[in-house]
Amino acid sequence: MERTGAAMISAVESPWRIVFISTVQPAVEGFTAFARALGHEPVAVITSQGPQGRREVHPGRRDFFNQLVWETPADLDIAIAHDRTRVAPLLAAFEPDFVLCLGFPWRLTPEALAVPRLGCVNSHPSLLPRYRGPSPIAWQVRNGERELGVTYHRMDEDFDTGGVLAQGTVPLGDDDWMPDLLPRFAELQARLLPLVFERVARGDPGDAQDDAGASYAGFFDDEYGELDWSWPAHEIHRRVRAWSFMFAWGAGARAELAGRERQLLRTRVERGATEGSPGDVLRRDGEALLVRCGEDAVWVLESA
């Protein structure tokens, strides 16, 4: 499935001024190192405070916003956009040749897209045109996919519809959470980037997406997070995992546990449990609780 360049493209004679648009610090760090290895000049990061400008973080989620602010390479400027209309003037101030985007909650305006002479490219975690939209990983987990996609594509005025520059996949297991996936994404993105930069340098618009095969990965309805202990353990575990990949603050997978409603943040399936009734706490291990389901049981490892 993967399409990559045959070898790393050589350092350029005329370095590009590059601005990253992201809320994810590990991605910015990796992109910065790659661009510098090619002789380019990363100059700034534009970020946001989170969806709708909010800084609060869902329980159990790493605060990538604060990590980005404090751990971005010290020689890069950081600009925090108040809303999507502020991205264009901030970009213009840095005079970029090229923009690379990942994990940004707002669609760029036409004014922002027009700023860099070489255009804007986004890294989207699905095999486009499938799973366009803000929650692609969550929907791939929800639908039981065995692989997660990565697509670099040209950015246009719609979400995730521009020409495809490079694609690849990473494996997705039943017990994978974001910390498990980040190293796989980083390795794949590094392998795909040479082809992306090569095609951008040629002015390649990318391969047109087939809208007939498109699907949309929007935010979950709250009902998807209302769990029933009579369900099989694997279904409860899958829903908890899917919600863990949602950028939806204040929501999550919920169930009554030990006398009160809790948000389940991390679980593990325990197969073969037959004692008790659905919802019974079978064992405790520190803060972790083993709960009987309609079939098997789940360890609730983290909750709020």
Side-chain angles (χ1 to χ4, degrees):
M1 187 68 204
E2 197 169 304
R3 299 159 38 200
T4 62
M8 178 75 73
I9 57 177
S10 61
V12 295
E13 295 181 2
S14 300
W16 303 344
R17 288 175 59 83
I18 298 177
V19 171
F20 306 112
I21 298 180
S22 183
T23 58
V24 183
Q25 187 276 338
V28 170
E29 187 175 17
F31 289 160
T32 299
F34 177 85
R36 285 179 173 158
L38 294 184
H40 294 304
E41 183 186 1
V43 294
V45 179
I46 295 177
T47 189
S48 73
Q49 296 179 2
Q52 290 77 53
R54 296 178 293 176
R55 293 192 184 190
E56 62 265 31
V57 177
H58 187 280
R61 183 183 294 284
R62 296 177 65 188
D63 190 343
F64 283 123
F65 174 82
N66 286 334
Q67 185 185 9
L68 187 146
V69 170
W70 293 110
E71 298 183 23
T72 290
D75 55 348
L76 294 186
D77 289 325
I78 301 176
I80 303 172
H82 172 69
D83 59 42
R84 66 190 294 262
T85 67
R86 294 296 304 153
V87 175
L90 291 173
L91 266 181
F94 294 119
E95 300 180 335
D97 298 300
F98 179 59
V99 165
L100 191 56
C101 181
L102 180 146
F104 196 66
W106 302 326
R107 183 170 56 184
L108 298 190
T109 64
E111 293 79 12
L113 294 171
V115 171
R117 65 180 182 85
L118 297 173
C120 303
V121 168
N122 181 54
S123 177
H124 183 78
S126 80
L127 288 179
L128 292 175
R130 298 185 66 200
Y131 299 109
R132 292 172 176 168
S135 308
I137 302 178
W139 275 97
Q140 287 169 90
V141 172
R142 176 172 175 166
N143 289 342
E145 302 282 4
R146 308 312 300 172
E147 293 181 316
L148 291 175
V150 170
T151 300
Y152 284 97
H153 66 95
R154 295 277 190 179
M155 299 178 75
D156 56 24
E157 296 181 27
D158 292 322
F159 272 126
D160 310 319
T161 56
V164 171
L165 297 170
Q167 289 186 314
T169 61
V170 296
L172 175 63
D174 291 335
D175 291 308
D176 283 337
W177 303 80
M178 184 62 85
D180 305 302
L181 296 176
L182 284 175
R184 299 176 205 167
F185 277 129
E187 190 275 335
L188 176 58
Q189 286 168 341
R191 285 192 281 121
L192 295 174
L193 274 170
L195 178 58
V196 173
F197 274 63
E198 180 182 295
R199 295 184 75 173
V200 169
R202 297 199 307 261
D204 190 331
D207 303 322
Q209 297 186 37
D210 180 6
D211 288 344
S215 60
Y216 182 72
F219 296 113
F220 291 170
D221 293 331
D222 282 350
E223 288 76 10
Y224 184 73
E226 296 174 359
L227 305 179
D228 187 328
W229 292 116
S230 68
W231 295 343
H234 68 82
E235 175 65 18
I236 291 173
H237 177 61
R238 182 160 58 95
R239 291 191 182 216
V240 172
R241 288 178 59 238
W243 267 111
S244 78
F245 292 102
M246 282 289 298
F247 285 91
W249 274 240
R254 305 169 303 283
E256 185 173 318
L257 180 60
R260 67 180 179 89
E261 185 177 87
R262 299 193 191 183
Q263 284 185 284
L264 309 190
L265 304 176
R266 191 174 178 91
T267 54
R268 184 180 73 241
V269 173
E270 178 88 356
R271 303 195 184 281
T274 57
E275 67 270 31
S277 300
D280 288 352
V281 175
L282 304 180
R283 290 202 299 277
R284 296 174 182 264
D285 184 2
E287 295 296 318
L289 302 175
L290 181 65
V291 184
R292 181 74 161 89
C293 303
E295 179 183 313
D296 299 320
V298 294
W299 279 102
V300 178
L301 304 175
E302 296 179 32
S303 63

